[in-house]
């Protein structure tokens, strides 16, 4: 009897499975829905490929003219107050032994991006590397030996196509969180960022309007802090609820998803952005990237930079102003001093007396400070006194 029951049970299960997925019948694929931006990006990729084919048909050297991603090819637009890329380009030739492999890699990455867009799918940067990595037929040479070879090629394709990698259907590992008085729609799911608990809403790599829409917002401003540890203090103290704001962090140097999110919050919802960062050259640089843009992404400063962003702190005068103890000082090393002087010479800082004084004071002090140093006063000093006082006084750097 037991065996019969088992057999009968199997038949029932098999029948159910047959009804759900008929054996031998392929599932129907839904047609790929592409946005206008996808079609435009595909057009750029095809144009790039057609250009290579045309050169081959004319029996000319196959080459790619790639915009130069370096400080020598960027300039500061005084009227727009953002970094912009210049017109300098570098040639990448197939029939050049030192460039042949990078030429092949560029075409290979472009082909991978095209396949993703056509399939309506996304892939991680790491995933694309593994998708394209293989041994070249007839050789013992790999297309890519390591991730470090693939990443710069992806960036080259971005500037070559004038498209963010997110538009090329590539994403990076999410870093950064958001909490506060805003409701968003993320890929069809409505998310209330005031009800996300201690972890907050994880800001994804792709935050474009076709993925994330802002539904309702009662926040008055955005406070961006450098690290998740400080963000956690603000979230636990419900700073965003008391002061009606959105609180974000980027786990140090903010990834593009976070910067793009800040840009959208500022430009679409007209929210002011205040930055609470470490008092060191690296905190200054993070502010510079948020405010003016970065060298690598100079071609996309219009969609990334926030010229109106304000530097709230930490300041070089805060050691005395806040009555901190000597134990929180971190001595500057030679690398810190060199980096500080580089930042002071940036065109967007060199004519600002307040910033020159700020950087010089830090150098004269001989030490740097992390935001966490304020905890030495009181665990909630930064949320209950420091930031509220600085904002009430309008004490920040522009």
């Amino acid at each position: 009897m037991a065996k019969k029951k088992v057999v009968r049970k199997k038949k029932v299960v098999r029948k159910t499975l047959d009804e759900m997925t008929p054996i031998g019948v392929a599932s129907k694929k839904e047609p790929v829905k592409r946005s206008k931006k996808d079609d435009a990006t595909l057009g750029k990729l095809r144009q790039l490929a057609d250009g290579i084919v045309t050169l081959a048909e004319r029996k000319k050297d196959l080459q790619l003219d790639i915009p130069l991603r370096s400080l020598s090819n960027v300039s500061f637009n005084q009227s727009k107050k953002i970094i912009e890329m210049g017109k300098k380009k570098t040639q990448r030739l197939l029939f050049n032994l030192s460039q042949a492999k990078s030429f092949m890699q560029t075409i290979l990455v472009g082909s991978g991006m095209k396949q993703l867009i056509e399939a309506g799918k996304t892939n991680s940067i790491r995933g694309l590397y593994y998708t394209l990595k293989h041994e070249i037929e007839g050789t013992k040479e790999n297309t890519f030996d390591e991730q470090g070879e693939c990443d710069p090629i992806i960036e080259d394709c971005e500037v070559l196509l004038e498209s963010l990698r997110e538009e090329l259907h590539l994403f990076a590992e999410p870093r950064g969180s958001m909490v506060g008085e805003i409701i968003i729609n993320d890929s069809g799911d409505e998310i209330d960022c005031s009800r996300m608990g201690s972890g907050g809403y994880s800001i994804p790599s792709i935050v474009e309007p076709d993925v994330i829409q802002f539904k309702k917002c009662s926040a008055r401003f955005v406070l961006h802090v450098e690290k998740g540890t400080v963000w956690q203090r603000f979230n636990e103290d419900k700073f965003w609820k008391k002061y009606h704001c959105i609180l974000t962090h980027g786990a140090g140097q903010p990834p593009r998803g976070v910067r793009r999110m800040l840009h959208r919050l500022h430009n679409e919802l007209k929210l002011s952005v205040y930055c609470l960062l470490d008092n060191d050259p690296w905190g200054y640089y993070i502010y510079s990237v948020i405010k003016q843009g970065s060298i690598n992404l100079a071609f996309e400063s219009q969609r990334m930079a926030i010229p109106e962003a304000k530097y709230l702190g930490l300041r070089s005068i805060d050691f005395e102003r806040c009555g901190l103890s000597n134990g929180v000082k971190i001595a500057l090393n030679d690398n810190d001093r060199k980096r500080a002087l580089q930042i002071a010479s940036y065109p967007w800082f060199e004519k600002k007396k307040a910033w020159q004084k700020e950087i010089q004071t830090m150098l004269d002090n001989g030490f740097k400070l992390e935001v966490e140093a304020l905890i030495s006063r009181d665990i909630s000093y930064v949320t209950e006194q420091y930031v509220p006082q600085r904002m009430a006084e309008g004490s920040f750097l522009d």
Side-chain angles (χ1 to χ4, degrees):
M1 293 296 291
K3 288 185 178 179
K4 288 183 179 180
K5 286 184 179 180
V6 172
V7 171
R8 191 175 296 120
K9 187 175 182 180
K10 284 184 178 179
K11 286 183 178 180
V12 172
V13 173
R14 181 55 181 268
K15 183 178 180 181
T16 303
L17 289 173
D18 286 346
E19 290 173 351
M20 292 172 61
T21 309
I23 296 175
V25 178
S27 60
K28 293 182 179 180
K29 290 185 177 180
E30 292 291 329
V32 175
K33 294 181 180 179
R34 292 198 299 264
S35 66
K36 291 182 179 179
K37 178 58 88 172
D38 284 340
D39 289 335
T41 305
L42 275 176
K44 293 178 183 178
L45 284 162
R46 290 178 180 132
Q47 186 177 6
L48 175 65
D50 289 343
I52 298 298
V53 172
T54 300
L55 288 174
E57 290 175 341
R58 294 177 180 176
K59 298 182 179 181
K60 293 187 176 182
D61 288 345
L62 304 188
Q63 69 178 55
L64 295 167
D65 296 320
I66 301 175
L68 196 60
R69 294 184 289 108
S70 68
L71 186 59
S72 65
N73 193 38
V74 300
S75 60
F76 181 59
N77 188 313
Q78 292 286 354
S79 59
K80 295 180 181 179
K81 297 182 179 180
I82 59 174
I83 298 173
E84 292 183 330
M85 181 168 281
K87 297 182 179 180
K88 294 180 182 179
K89 295 184 178 181
T90 180
Q91 287 187 338
R92 186 164 294 168
L93 302 167
L94 175 61
F95 300 114
N96 182 311
L97 287 178
S98 65
Q99 300 176 3
K101 186 174 182 179
S102 60
F103 182 96
M104 174 273 296
Q105 290 172 333
T106 307
I107 298 301
L108 194 60
V109 167
S111 176
M113 293 169 169
K114 176 177 176 290
Q115 291 175 33
L116 283 173
I117 298 172
E118 287 180 334
K121 296 182 181 296
T122 61
N123 198 356
S124 67
I125 292 172
R126 185 70 170 170
L128 182 69
Y129 161 67
Y130 274 110
T131 300
L132 302 179
K133 178 181 171 70
H134 63 268
E135 192 174 86
I136 299 172
E137 187 176 352
T139 73
K140 293 183 179 180
E141 186 85 12
N142 286 325
T143 51
F144 294 97
D145 290 321
E146 55 187 26
Q147 181 80 47
E149 278 188 293
C150 189
D151 290 352
I153 299 295
I154 292 173
E155 292 180 350
D156 287 340
C157 286
E158 287 184 275
V159 295
L160 191 59
L161 299 166
E162 296 183 337
S163 300
L164 287 173
R165 68 182 176 208
E166 290 79 12
E167 294 173 337
L168 299 167
H169 285 220
L170 290 173
F171 62 86
E173 183 180 352
R175 283 192 299 111
S177 301
M178 179 168 75
V179 67
E181 298 186 336
I182 186 171
I183 297 174
I184 64 174
N185 186 300
D186 183 342
S187 303
D189 296 322
E190 189 169 284
I191 298 172
D192 185 344
C193 292
S194 68
R195 305 173 71 87
M196 295 300 295
S198 60
Y201 167 70
S202 179
I203 301 175
S205 175
I206 302 177
V207 297
E208 296 308 303
D210 60 330
V211 177
I212 294 178
Q213 300 87 43
F214 302 139
K215 306 300 291 185
K216 182 180 179 181
C217 179
S218 56
R220 299 171 183 171
F221 63 91
V222 179
L223 177 65
H224 178 77
V225 301
E226 183 171 342
K227 291 167 284 190
T229 52
V230 178
W231 180 91
Q232 194 65 46
R233 170 50 45 212
F234 277 89
N235 188 23
E236 185 175 308
D237 290 353
K238 292 292 187 289
F239 179 92
W240 55 267
K241 186 174 184 180
K242 183 176 180 179
Y243 292 97
H244 306 289
C245 70
I246 295 170
L247 181 65
T248 64
H249 81 82
Q253 174 68 43
R256 292 197 254 187
V258 173
R259 288 171 54 197
R260 183 72 176 119
M261 176 66 82
L262 290 173
H263 184 277
R264 289 192 61 201
L265 291 170
H266 173 70
N267 285 276
E268 295 175 30
L269 301 181
K270 309 305 178 186
L271 299 177
S272 298
V273 176
Y274 299 95
C275 299
L276 181 66
L277 311 167
D278 289 345
N279 173 236
D280 62 16
W282 319 107
Y284 298 160
Y285 178 71
I286 289 173
Y287 175 66
S288 173
V289 168
I290 292 173
K291 188 176 179 71
Q292 268 83 38
S294 63
I295 294 170
N296 276 359
L297 285 177
F299 73 100
E300 278 294 353
S301 292
Q302 292 279 10
R303 292 197 294 172
M304 303 287 278
I306 309 171
E308 295 80 12
K310 302 292 189 295
Y311 185 91
L312 197 66
L314 225 51
R315 299 280 299 280
S316 297
I317 60 175
D318 283 335
F319 179 76
E320 293 185 359
R321 180 166 62 173
C322 300
L324 301 178
S325 65
N326 288 326
V328 302
K329 294 179 180 179
I330 304 174
L332 294 175
N333 57 37
D334 291 342
N335 195 31
D336 291 328
R337 292 181 178 278
K338 181 180 178 181
R339 192 75 179 102
L341 293 174
Q342 287 177 338
I343 292 171
S345 67
Y346 284 168
W348 44 97
F349 280 150
E350 66 179 355
K351 295 182 180 179
K352 291 188 175 182
K353 293 182 179 179
W355 267 107
Q356 292 300 316
K357 182 179 180 181
E358 173 68 25
I359 295 172
Q360 189 58 52
T361 301
M362 181 191 66
L363 291 172
D364 292 342
N365 285 343
F367 61 83
K368 53 189 177 182
L369 298 168
E370 293 184 330
V371 176
E372 288 91 336
L374 298 174
I375 294 175
S376 64
R377 282 289 310 270
D378 181 80
I379 193 168
S380 292
Y381 177 79
V382 66
T383 63
E384 296 177 355
Q385 296 187 56
Y386 184 87
V387 171
Q389 287 177 5
R390 298 293 90 82
M391 294 194 69
E393 298 166 356
S395 178
F396 46 71
L397 296 176
D398 190 5

